[in-house]
Amino acid sequence: MFKINFASQSAFKMNENNPHLEALNDIRQMMKQSNRFLSLSGLSGVFAGLYALAGAWFGDIIINNYIDAIRAGEEGLKAYNKMIMQCILVSALVLGLSLATALYFSAQRAKKTGQKLFDHTAWRLVVNLMVPLIAGGGFCLAMLYHTDERALMVGPATLVFYGLALVNGSKYTLHDIRYLGYLEIGLGIIACFLPGFGLVFWAIGFGLLHIIYGSIMW
């Protein structure tokens, strides 16, 4: 009889404390969300993937034009510099369109959910993303400067550094970004051993993976 009464009293206390536990869980969830940028839209990833596939297509045309120019007797360094400038222009266009699209859809989602687009969490996310990206960009430009076989490693290097940026920035946004980063790093490492297929891996990493991830997220 004593055991039954004791169990009843324990159950009563648990039920009595439930509202407080729920309040604590709500506060914990709010604190967790305040430390993460949650306005990312899956559609921005889909569009970034489409832009990347278009950029890879243009890149293939540029590389083929470079090969044809060399075969036609054009000066090697001149043709190489022309190809590099065209590739940088295409890459900058892809990056600019991707950022503009991400900002647009993120602003729409932030407005819908009543959140601020640029708060302290968003800036922390940007900083943690930019550090590996800037380091990787400088590293890739250095390889392009040497105008030799090292230039073939630019595609794999961009995938690796981009993956590192995603893993680093995932602490301040959706956890799923971390897994996309792991895939980008793995793909980049594989591409290092197949330098002749760098553009193909680049299209898979920045194109198809973004489309798949963005679709799932959306």
Side-chain angles (χ1 to χ4, degrees), residues 4 29 36-37 77 90 103 105-106 114-115 119 121 136 139 142 151 163 167-168 172 187-188 216:
I4 296 176
Q29 187 68 19
R36 292 184 179 276
F37 180 73
L77 183 58
V90 170
L103 285 173
F105 284 116
S106 295
Q115 298 175 337
D119 55 10
T121 306
F139 180 72
V167 173
N168 196 44
Y172 303 102
L187 200 62
I216 294 173

Side-chain angles (χ1 to χ4, degrees), residues 1-209:
M1 185 69 180
F2 174 76
K3 292 182 179 180
I4 296 176
N5 290 337
F6 179 77
S8 301
Q9 290 178 1
S10 299
F12 175 76
K13 289 182 179 180
M14 290 179 63
N15 291 330
E16 186 180 22
N17 290 332
N18 273 340
H20 302 289
L21 291 175
E22 290 178 2
L24 289 174
N25 287 331
D26 290 339
I27 294 173
R28 182 181 179 185
Q29 187 68 19
M30 290 173 62
M31 292 177 63
K32 183 178 179 181
Q33 290 182 356
S34 67
N35 290 324
R36 292 184 179 276
F37 180 73
L38 302 177
S39 296
L40 288 177
S41 173
L43 286 177
S44 61
V46 173
F47 277 93
L50 294 175
Y51 298 147
L53 290 178
W57 181 71
F58 280 109
D60 184 63
I61 294 175
I62 292 171
I63 293 174
N64 287 330
N65 289 339
Y66 166 72
I67 296 173
D68 293 339
I70 295 297
R71 289 175 178 174
E74 188 174 340
E75 182 184 348
L77 183 58
K78 181 180 179 181
Y80 177 82
N81 289 335
K82 181 181 178 181
M83 177 194 68
I84 293 303
M85 291 304 298
Q86 290 175 339
C87 287
I88 290 176
L89 180 62
V90 170
S91 300
L93 183 61
V94 170
L95 178 61
L97 288 173
S98 298
L99 289 176
T101 304
L103 285 173
Y104 173 77
F105 284 116
S106 295
Q108 294 295 316
R109 183 168 181 178
K111 183 179 179 180
K112 184 177 180 180
T113 57
Q115 298 175 337
K116 291 183 178 180
L117 180 60
F118 290 107
D119 55 10
H120 71 284
T121 306
W123 288 116
R124 290 171 71 183
L125 171 62
V126 170
V127 170
N128 280 269
L129 283 174
M130 292 307 295
V131 171
L133 290 179
I134 292 175
F139 180 72
C140 291
L141 289 175
M143 286 193 291
L144 291 174
Y145 174 78
H146 289 290
T147 67
D148 56 19
E149 288 79 6
R150 279 171 283 192
L152 295 174
M153 303 299 291
V154 170
T158 56
L159 289 170
V160 172
F161 279 99
Y162 178 61
L164 291 172
L166 292 179
V167 173
N168 196 44
S170 64
K171 296 177 291 185
Y172 303 102
T173 185
L174 304 176
H175 275 304
D176 294 342
I177 297 250
R178 179 181 297 269
Y179 303 112
L180 177 61
Y182 291 150
L183 291 174
E184 298 284 358
I185 294 171
L187 200 62
I189 292 175
I190 295 173
C192 288
F193 296 94
L194 299 169
F197 297 91
L199 188 61
V200 175
F201 282 97
W202 196 89
I204 295 173
F206 289 104
L208 293 181
L209 285 184

